[in-house]
């Protein structure tokens, strides 16, 4: 596994790679089995896999956890090496960003609803860095988790709108056995909070079971989820179609139920695609 910290060196190295399919997995590190599932998919489907670890400052809002975001670089290197990746990219913010540079803006509607409404400007930072990383890596395939459903939607939209020649691969959410969606931020949770957080995935499971039994009404489903989320502070429960448009009735194979809550001081998101 080669490790690059300088963008320039990575670009030079990638320019020497010929006739090989490149897979790319962008992450912010503190790797867990969710990340590993994306990496595994990339190594299965490509000749070369690049993983980036970069806690991107521009996607954090004032007062968010940028400064205390979990860092486990030595463990992450081992995970990447065992997973058989070819290139680990560990850039610094100084290397990635320059002063007074052009900015890509998230779509003015879908970048500012749901997650983007609570974190205005977050998706500008996400798209800015993903665009840079896709240009640097020249990936044929880039792997993103459904866990960050709106991010995935907006990255796909960006790639389509800007004619970027990377195929965006959607990867399923990996959960603990008890249902809790894996997240680097789960590290912040105490044992009691972890217990409390289980109601998130339980509520999504319950809603999806009701849909299987014929329930289609979005308001009824939201109410049921609301009742299940007793142990946490709800930020939003939203049900949209896969185009991130509001719906009144569930459309099978075209709907997503999205939840954001606080468990203690930790903000968690989860969703289910139905
Ligand atoms: P992050 O390091 O949190 O920015 O995540 C990097 C990538 O891993 C993103 O595409 C996430 O959607 C994805 N990811 C994070 N958690 C999970 C999970 N539990 N299951 C699947 N993918 C995940």
């Amino acid at each position: 596994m080669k490790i690059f910290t300088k963008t320039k060196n990575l670009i030079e190295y990638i320019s020497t790679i010929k006739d090989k399919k490149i897979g790319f997995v962008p992450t912010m590190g503190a790797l867990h089995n969710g990340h590993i599932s994306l990496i595994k998919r990339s190594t299965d489907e490509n000749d070369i896999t690049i993983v980036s670890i970069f806690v991107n400052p521009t996607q954090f809002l004032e007062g968010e956890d940028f400064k205390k975001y979990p860092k486990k670089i030595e463990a992450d290197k081992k995970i990447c090496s065992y997973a058989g990746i070819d290139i680990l990219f560990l850039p610094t913010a100084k290397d990635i960003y320059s002063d007074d540079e052009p900015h890509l803006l998230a779509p003015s509607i879908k970048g500012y609803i749901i997650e983007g409404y609570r974190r205005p400007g977050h998706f500008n930072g996400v798209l800015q860095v993903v665009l840079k990383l896709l240009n640097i890596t020249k990936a044929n395939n880039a792997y993103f988790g459904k866990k960050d459903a709106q991010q995935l939607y907006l990255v796909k939209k960006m790639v389509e709108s800007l004619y970027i020649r990377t195929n965006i691969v959607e990867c399923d959410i990996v959960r603990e056995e008890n249902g809790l969606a894996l997240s680097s931020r789960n590290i912040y949770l105490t044992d009691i909070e972890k217990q409390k957080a289980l109601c998130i995935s339980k509520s999504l499971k319950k809603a999806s079971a009701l849909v299987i039994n014929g329930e289609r009404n979005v308001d009824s489903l939201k109410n049921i989820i609301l009742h299940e989320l007793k142990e946490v502070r709800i930020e939003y429960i939203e049900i949209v179609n896969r185009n991130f448009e509001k719906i009144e009735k569930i459309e099978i194979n075209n709907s997503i139920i999205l939840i954001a809550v606080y468990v203690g001081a930790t903000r968690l998101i989860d969703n289910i695609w139905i």
Side-chain angles (χ1 to χ4, degrees), residues 208-258:
S208 103
L210 287 165
V211 172
I212 289 166
N213 283 328
E215 179 64 79
R216 295 289 180 272
N217 189 287
V218 159
D219 287 336
S220 314
L221 288 166
K222 277 188 181 176
N223 260 324
I224 284 150
I225 294 171
L226 187 82
H227 281 289
E228 291 291 313
L229 295 176
K230 284 206 186 80
E231 303 265 34
V232 297
R233 184 158 64 79
I234 299 169
E235 195 175 58
Y236 64 73
I237 303 164
E238 297 284 358
I239 303 183
V240 292
N241 66 20
R242 305 256 172 111
N243 232 355
F244 274 81
E245 293 153 344
K246 287 219 168 184
I247 48 174
E248 280 167 22
K249 295 230 168 304
I250 292 286
E251 302 159 15
I252 298 293
N253 290 328
N254 191 33
S255 306
I256 313 177
I257 306 177
L258 303 136

Side-chain angles (χ1 to χ4, degrees), residues 45-169:
E45 296 176 359
N46 300 277
D47 303 311
I48 289 191
T49 288
I50 306 174
V51 173
S52 66
I53 297 179
F54 178 56
V55 183
N56 173 36
T58 64
Q59 71 187 67
F60 288 81
L61 272 63
E62 200 65 39
E64 290 188 346
D65 57 345
F66 172 63
K67 287 220 170 86
K68 66 165 193 165
Y69 195 83
K71 285 182 190 62
K72 294 186 161 186
I73 196 60
E74 290 313 314
D76 288 351
K77 280 183 190 167
K78 279 194 189 135
I79 289 171
C80 287
S81 165
Y82 289 144
I85 75 158
D86 302 276
I87 297 171
L88 179 58
F89 182 39
L90 306 172
T92 60
K94 246 182 152 176
D95 199 45
I96 290 282
Y97 292 106
S98 55
D99 291 338
D100 195 27
E101 61 175 32
H103 277 273
L104 177 69
L105 297 178
S108 56
I109 298 170
K110 302 226 177 113
Y112 289 86
I113 56 168
I114 311 177
E115 203 48 24
Y117 179 72
R118 268 73 188 193
R119 304 181 72 191
H122 165 68
F123 289 120
N124 293 341
V126 169
L127 295 184
Q128 184 84 356
V129 80
V130 172
L131 177 59
K132 283 172 184 264
L133 292 169
L134 294 181
N135 282 332
I136 292 166
T137 57
K138 284 196 185 298
N140 300 89
N141 296 306
Y143 295 79
F144 289 84
K146 289 180 175 175
K147 165 86 170 19
D148 298 280
Q150 197 172 358
Q151 166 177 290
L152 173 58
Y153 169 80
L154 291 169
V155 167
K156 286 180 79 170
K157 183 83 190 159
M158 173 181 77
V159 162
E160 188 191 310
S161 309
L162 302 184
Y163 304 102
I164 299 168
R165 287 175 178 77
T166 301
N167 174 43
I168 303 299
V169 185

